[in-house]
Structure formats: structure tokens, C-alpha cells
Amino acid sequence: MNQMHGIIFSYEKKTGLRELIEHRIHGSIPFAGDYRVVDFMLSNMVNAGVRDVGVIMHGKCQSLLDHLGSGKSWDLSRNYGGLTLLPAFAYAEHREGGGQFRGKLEALGCVRDYLWSIRQDYVVLCDSDLVINIPLDDVLQRHITAGADITAVCTSVLGGRDDVYFKLDENSRIIDTAYDLFAPSGYRCLQIFVMKTSLLQQLVDECMAHNQYSFQHHVLQDRVQALYLNAYVWDGYAAHIGTVQDYYQRSMELLRGDVRAELFCPERPVYAKENGSASTYIDPTGECTTSLIADGCDIQGRVKHCVVFRGVKIEQGADVENCILFKGTVVKKGAILRHVITDKHVVISENRTLMGAEDYPMVIGRDTVV
């Protein structure tokens, strides 16, 4: 299906991700041993037949630029169309707020020329910090069948008070939008929207002309009577990565077979940047149980209930449990780790003991020697 164009938003937000976004923006956070968070939405689009994708980014986006490259890993490397990276560095020069976008409409207004070059009749908007495997082609067909102006993907699984919530009528039409709720209720918005390209262009022009920048406020709320807003309810696996606790909990969920089976289903594969790492070596005298281990690791100590990325080395006598170790981490002999997240190329020295908690894991920043 070549009716849909993809736009992914990946820029700095006010979140509790702490050290995890010190050197990167949300979409490039490593996840599941061999992926970045943005890989999931990109794969959803490719699996639905989307062949042109624009990624709007701002902030510390070098890591994301390096990861996405030409888009070859997602079959989006083309002479015309394909993957287009839209780092709006010049944006800070003519807006207040240190270059921060106030909302999605403002971000789209910054790349207005790109919007008017879209060839497809429909466009899907989404965030880069959502881990989900959803049939976007089915979302589009439901949108067309319903005759809606905008279709928003939502879930009955409640989240936090900072999320956006919908109230639906008996026909799945959105009749109210609310956020900053003290007691969340209704259907939580997953920030995936499908609409006609012409409508998006019209909304961007109208809203920018009236200093309206927020999609959820100035479109979903203010235009709820003027537009037919339809809901596509998805109650499968969906995880927004907004805090360190979110990241840790969602990573640990991957150790469950049912979660992995739903997120990495064979009919909709998740694509990632290729790597040429050798197979992982697990020493016969060591121990590795109930863990997710990427290629290229050298495990000689004890590893239990962990997510381990490529190139990690755990020496003999080291004891690691309930941890997430990013690429290139080295845990030396005698070290003990519990509920710890190490960023890339961290070295844990001999006989160190680091203890976090399940509801407040310890995060070690990139290139740190402890």
C-alpha cells in the first residue's frame, strides 16, 4: 500500500529519563538488546507499505542521525523519497524558548516546505518514544471506511496523569479530549494519528497563522465539533518511554515470552541497523539465566534477569542481576550489580557493589568508570 506518508516526531521533551537522554534524544534510546526505540515505529510504517518517512528532530540528535543514516536498514534508501531527516537546527534563531518546539503543529510549521512535497493522499503522525507493533495498514483502512477526518490510535489501558485521554461515544467517535487529569479515565491516546495530507496542510497553515501550536489542544480539543475525530482502539502491547522507571519496567517485561511474542511477531518484523558482531560467548563455568543477550558479548560471570546489549563483557566472579547493560559495558571480577542501568562504554571496577531498586533503578552515565 503506497497511500500513506509517515512523519515521526523526535525532539526533547520534559521527561524523567535523566542520564538516558544526556547524550541523545528519545528516539535513539537503546532498547531490547539490539534496537533503538525509533526502530519500532519505523518498522510499523514499513510493514504497512509506507515508503516515504520524514523524521522531525531537534536537540541532541547526532546519535539518531548516526543510527538512521540513509534508511537502508528499513528499505528506505532511495534517490527520490524514502527516509528524510529533518533536524531543525535553525529553528532556535527565530523562536523563543531555546529552540524548543511548543507543540507538534509548530514543529510541522517549521518544515512546511516538506509537507507540501508529500506525494501520498494520507499521512500518519507518531512519536518516536512509543514501543508498539501495530498494523498501520488496518488503521488506515478503518479511517477510510469510517469517513473520518482524523483517526487517533488509543488504548483502554490507563497511563499517567500527563497522558492525553479521550471520551468516546457508542460509534467510537471522540467527543472529548482531556489531559493533566488528577484521576485518569477514558481511552489513553497513543499519539498515532491518520488523516488526509490536504487536511494536515490546511491545519498547519491555519494554526500557525493564529499562533496555535499544540495538536492536542488546538486540534483535538478546539476542533472536536468541526472535525470528525475517530478512535482506533488498540489493546495490544504499547509502551511510552517517558521516565527511567518506564524504561526499566518495559525492558524487564521483555524477559516474558508472551511479551516478546507480541512485540516481535513474525508477520510484522522489527527492523534495526545491521551489525556484524560475532556470536556471544558464555563461559561454561559462568551462569546466564532468564536474560536477553545480544550478539558480541563475553559472559564469564553470573547473569540473571538482565537485558544485555552488544559488546558487553562480564568477567569471572562478577554477579549481575536485574540489570540493563548498554553496548560496550565492562563488569570486572568481583563486582555485584542489582537494578542498575549502565549507558554505553561504562566500566564497573573490581569488587564494586552497586544497588538500585526496582522502582528506582540506578543509572550510570555514558563513558563512566565506577
Side-chain angles (χ1 to χ4, degrees):
M1 180 179 297
N2 194 30
Q3 292 180 273
M4 196 158 45
H5 187 103
I7 295 180
I8 299 177
F9 298 92
S10 187
Y11 49 89
E12 293 179 352
K13 304 178 182 178
K14 294 180 180 179
T15 64
L17 285 165
R18 302 184 347 236
E19 294 88 347
L20 294 179
I21 55 170
E22 185 176 354
H23 299 283
R24 57 175 73 92
I25 49 180
H26 298 72
S28 61
I29 296 175
F31 190 76
D34 208 26
Y35 300 88
R36 302 294 180 103
V37 175
V38 72
D39 293 343
F40 293 87
M41 283 311 309
L42 268 178
S43 298
N44 288 328
M45 291 180 176
V46 171
N47 291 330
V50 175
R51 294 295 175 261
D52 293 340
V53 179
V55 182
I56 302 176
M57 61 187 98
H58 194 276
K60 307 179 186 75
C61 53
Q62 186 60 53
S63 176
L64 188 60
L65 289 169
D66 292 341
H67 177 70
L68 296 177
S70 66
K72 180 180 177 181
S73 300
W74 300 270
D75 193 27
L76 292 173
S77 179
R78 292 180 172 81
N79 292 328
Y80 183 58
L83 181 67
T84 303
L85 304 179
L86 302 164
F89 294 115
Y91 192 77
E93 298 179 3
H94 60 276
R95 286 283 184 183
E96 297 178 357
Q100 292 284 346
F101 294 115
R102 293 179 295 172
K104 286 186 172 71
L105 289 173
E106 197 164 67
L108 290 166
C110 184
V111 295
R112 183 183 184 280
D113 290 344
Y114 175 80
L115 291 184
W116 261 252
S117 71
I118 293 176
R119 300 174 292 171
Q120 291 79 12
D121 293 332
Y122 296 90
V123 62
V124 53
L125 308 177
C126 63
D127 286 349
S128 67
D129 58 355
L130 177 65
V131 177
I132 189 173
N133 193 330
I134 185 173
L136 286 178
D137 48 352
D138 185 54
V139 179
L140 175 60
Q141 287 305 315
R142 295 271 197 95
H143 172 78
I144 295 173
T145 301
D149 293 311
I150 300 175
T151 293
V153 179
C154 57
T155 176
S156 62
V157 180
L158 299 180
R161 59 178 298 177
D162 294 334
D163 291 311
V164 177
Y165 292 89
F166 296 137
K167 182 179 179 181
L168 311 182
D169 67 10
E170 63 276 6
N171 297 315
S172 295
R173 180 167 184 163
I174 298 171
I175 57 176
D176 187 42
T177 300
Y179 50 93
D180 287 334
L181 294 174
F182 181 76
S185 63
Y187 290 81
R188 176 166 56 95
C189 177
L190 294 179
Q191 300 297 329
I192 301 175
F193 305 99
V194 173
M195 69 191 78
K196 280 192 173 181
T197 303
S198 57
L199 175 60
L200 178 63
Q201 294 167 341
Q202 175 188 337
L203 288 172
V204 169
D205 273 356
E206 287 181 2
C207 290
M208 293 304 293
H210 295 87
N211 194 30
Q212 297 174 342
Y213 53 84
S214 170
F215 191 87
Q216 63 190 30
H217 175 56
H218 296 113
V219 174
L220 298 180
Q221 285 187 324
D222 289 357
R223 290 170 167 79
V224 68
Q225 299 299 327
L227 298 174
Y228 176 11
L229 307 180
N230 186 50
Y232 180 100
V233 180
W234 170 262
D235 283 336
Y237 185 89
H240 268 116
I241 308 299
T243 66
V244 169
Q245 289 81 359
D246 287 341
Y247 179 81
Y248 182 81
Q249 177 186 353
R250 297 306 190 175
S251 295
M252 291 296 105
E253 286 177 348
L254 296 174
L255 302 180
R256 292 167 38 191
D258 59 326
V259 172
R260 291 198 306 276
E262 182 176 353
L263 191 56
F264 298 98
C265 56
E267 59 269 25
R268 296 190 302 274
V270 180
Y271 304 98
K273 186 177 181 179
E274 299 93 343
N275 72 83
S277 300
S279 299
T280 288
Y281 172 76
I282 301 177
D283 193 285
T285 63
E287 178 186 349
C288 184
T289 57
T290 57
S291 295
L292 187 62
I293 311 293
D295 292 337
C297 297
D298 181 3
I299 298 176
Q300 302 181 40
R302 177 180 178 270
V303 179
K304 183 177 181 181
H305 289 292
C306 292
V307 178
V308 180
F309 288 76
R310 287 185 287 123
V312 170
K313 182 176 182 180
I314 300 175
E315 296 184 355
Q316 286 186 345
D319 188 348
V320 183
E321 186 172 337
N322 293 312
C323 294
I324 304 169
L325 308 181
F326 284 13
K327 178 182 176 182
T329 294
V330 177
V331 183
K332 293 188 174 293
K333 61 182 181 180
I336 300 174
L337 275 63
R338 298 289 187 271
H339 303 294
V340 174
I341 302 173
T342 64
D343 208 322
K344 295 171 65 175
H345 307 301
V346 167
V347 177
I348 309 298
S349 303
E350 294 183 9
N351 302 316
R352 294 288 189 185
T353 298
L354 302 179
M355 295 284 182
E358 185 175 357
D359 58 352
Y360 199 88
M362 178 183 295
V363 183
I364 309 299
R366 195 171 87 179
D367 301 318
T368 301
V369 178
V370 181

